[in-house]
Amino acid sequence: MALEDGYSINTTEDDQDSDTAPLLEKEVQETKVPPKCCSVRCNLAVMMFFGFAVVYGLRVNLSVAMVAMVNGTNDQPSPNSSISNECPAPSPLHDNNSQSLEQPEGIPRYPWNSETQGMLLGAFFFGYLFTQIPGGYLSGRFGGSLFLGGGVLGTALLTLLTPLSAQLGAKWLFTLRALEGFGEGVTFPAMMAMWARWAPPLERARLMTFSGAGSSFGAFVALPLTGFICHSLGWPAVFYSCGGAGCLWAVFWFILVSDEPRTHPRITVQEKDYIINSLGQQGTAHGWSVPVWSMLFSMPLWAIIIPQMCSNWSYYTLLTSLPIYMDSVLHFDLRQNSFLSALPYLAGWLFSVGSGVLADNLLEKEILSVTAVRKIFTFIGLFLPAVFLLAVGFSGCSGVLAVTFLTLSSAFGGFSAAGVFINQIDIAPRYAGMLLGITNTFGTIPGVLAPIVVGYLTKNHSVSGWRNVFWLSAGVSAFGAIFYVIFGTGKIQSWARTDEESDTDEQD
């Protein structure tokens, strides 16, 4: 879409001081927007979708496999625990879960207690912390395709070594999982940096929520599939399957994807011009120098960091510990456990994709401003899940109620995908990759701490211990919702503008 005089959504006459101005002129939207179906930008979203499905398969495989890897007789509850009386197994088939945890002959089991399991489940995030900001910075400078593809490929190759490291000992497995996190830490910042160059403003929410929803879809597929593979082939086969899938995806990624429209060999001229001109100067790479201090003292950035940390506390608690809850408290067998653990992610996937379409429609029709859309979707996506997490705490031994409330919590949590989780590209498009690296670095801290806290609170495997887990998550999530409503914004920040944009504003 070629706009006259270099006009773009980031250089309107009076929009930079008010996010109530239209993002794109109606005449241009109606007559010159190329088809979305089968476009290169939509193909990129599909590739990212499956990439993040693989990413989360690599991330959550240990959560289910842990149930089969651990010799349960070595981690019995203390004499003061009432596990056997609080939530008795619903049928003889679940007696002591012995049948559900049987492994093929020759498959090793390990005597890891709940604290060790918590440390192993959190190990991934120790490495994940360190590559977020460098990955975002380098992706914004050089393009994100190499970092996203390389991050997935490296993590997949390391995943193939999981059975060997487990045999060598818990410390080796901890180190391997941390290295996997180190490799995977660049993926989300690279995605954001790529969309800063590929996503037209009126399509940002739907493209980014669809591609990011691959993570929920990956968890939804990986959890039951992991349970089936564990039961049928033994837990080592889980890691070989996930690692192989990641390597296969990486081959297609490097063949089909380019960093930006200008360098893509198969994009049409119409689509390339539409993307480039609609993004303007904000669709270009940033230089070596970035306004670090302005970023760190920017309240809109902290308005993203804090709610993202709060949301991730609940998310990572469920991601790493839900299979253990369903095994130790609700007594689901391994196949039931993995399928029911996946239901919340199916709901989150569907709602996150829908939220992106709805958010873009509200902006296209100029019903709400960018700030209003982000605040509404963030509040729904953090506060309502908190309500349902509170309800899980009251569900006791009812597996039906627990699964229902957890599914509803994750479903409404999908709304935040079109809220705070894409807000970086609103306030600073050129630096979106680095901003996501910063916000994800802070957002990963709950991934490190949550499994450890869960392991401590639930060491007796009691209903009351898990109630405290869910109530803590609910309180943290509700705080994040309120914080963003007060301090969040969708306006592009002054420190994020290019020199050309600043000069134009001064002349105006």
Side-chain angles (χ1 to χ4, degrees), residues 269-323:
V269 174
Q270 182 187 20
E271 184 181 6
K272 179 170 67 174
D273 289 344
Y274 166 59
I275 296 171
I276 291 173
N277 289 297
S278 66
L279 292 174
Q281 290 295 320
Q282 290 292 338
T284 59
H286 61 69
W288 287 106
S289 177
V290 295
V292 175
W293 290 110
S294 297
M295 292 178 180
L296 294 179
F297 289 98
S298 172
M299 179 52 71
L301 178 57
W302 285 100
I304 300 173
I305 291 173
I306 300 301
Q308 190 166 326
M309 290 180 68
C310 295
S311 177
N312 282 0
W313 182 277
S314 302
Y315 186 81
Y316 287 136
T317 293
L318 299 184
L319 189 70
T320 58
S321 304
L322 189 55

Side-chain angles (χ1 to χ4, degrees), residues 20-167:
T20 60
L23 288 179
L24 207 63
E25 291 181 349
K26 286 186 177 180
E27 294 80 5
V28 177
Q29 297 176 39
E30 293 172 356
T31 61
K32 296 188 178 182
V33 177
K36 300 181 181 70
C37 181
C38 299
S39 63
V40 172
R41 61 191 186 280
C42 288
N43 292 340
L44 175 62
V46 171
M47 284 298 300
M48 285 187 179
F49 176 88
F50 285 109
F52 285 110
V54 170
V55 161
Y56 265 70
L58 297 171
R59 189 179 301 190
V60 306
N61 51 24
L62 185 62
S63 300
V64 175
M66 183 71 74
V67 178
M69 294 171 72
V70 172
N71 184 347
T73 60
N74 291 281
D75 190 29
Q76 296 296 326
S78 69
N80 295 327
S81 172
S82 56
I83 180 174
S84 59
N85 296 322
E86 281 186 306
C87 296
S91 72
L93 292 175
H94 300 271
D95 188 27
N96 295 325
N97 284 340
S98 58
Q99 283 185 314
S100 67
L101 297 178
E102 286 183 357
Q103 291 288 284
E105 185 177 353
I107 302 297
R109 307 280 295 280
Y110 304 105
W112 298 330
N113 59 28
S114 60
E115 288 83 359
T116 301
Q117 293 176 50
M119 290 295 293
L120 290 173
L121 291 171
F124 175 94
F125 301 100
F126 279 95
Y128 196 67
L129 275 168
F130 291 101
T131 49
Q132 296 281 334
I133 295 175
Y137 174 78
L138 293 173
S139 296
R141 183 72 180 89
F142 298 109
S145 63
L146 176 63
F147 296 95
L148 202 162
V152 176
L153 179 61
T155 304
L157 292 173
L158 289 170
T159 298
L160 297 173
L161 300 176
T162 301
L164 174 61
S165 65
Q167 286 185 343

Side-chain angles (χ1 to χ4, degrees), residues 460-475:
N460 290 328
H461 303 287
S462 64
V463 172
S464 61
W466 281 99
R467 181 181 299 124
N468 292 333
V469 169
F470 294 123
W471 287 359
L472 174 62
S473 297

Side-chain angles (χ1 to χ4, degrees), residues 64 219-229 334-335 338-342:
V64 175
F220 167 68
V221 172
L223 286 167
L225 188 60
T226 297
F228 175 78
I229 294 174
L334 185 58
R335 285 171 291 184
S338 53
F339 174 74
L340 294 174
S341 295

Side-chain angles (χ1 to χ4, degrees), residues 120 164-178:
L120 290 173
L164 174 61
S165 65
Q167 286 185 343
L168 295 174
K171 292 182 179 179
W172 285 90
L173 181 56
F174 182 95
T175 302
L176 182 76
R177 290 290 292 180

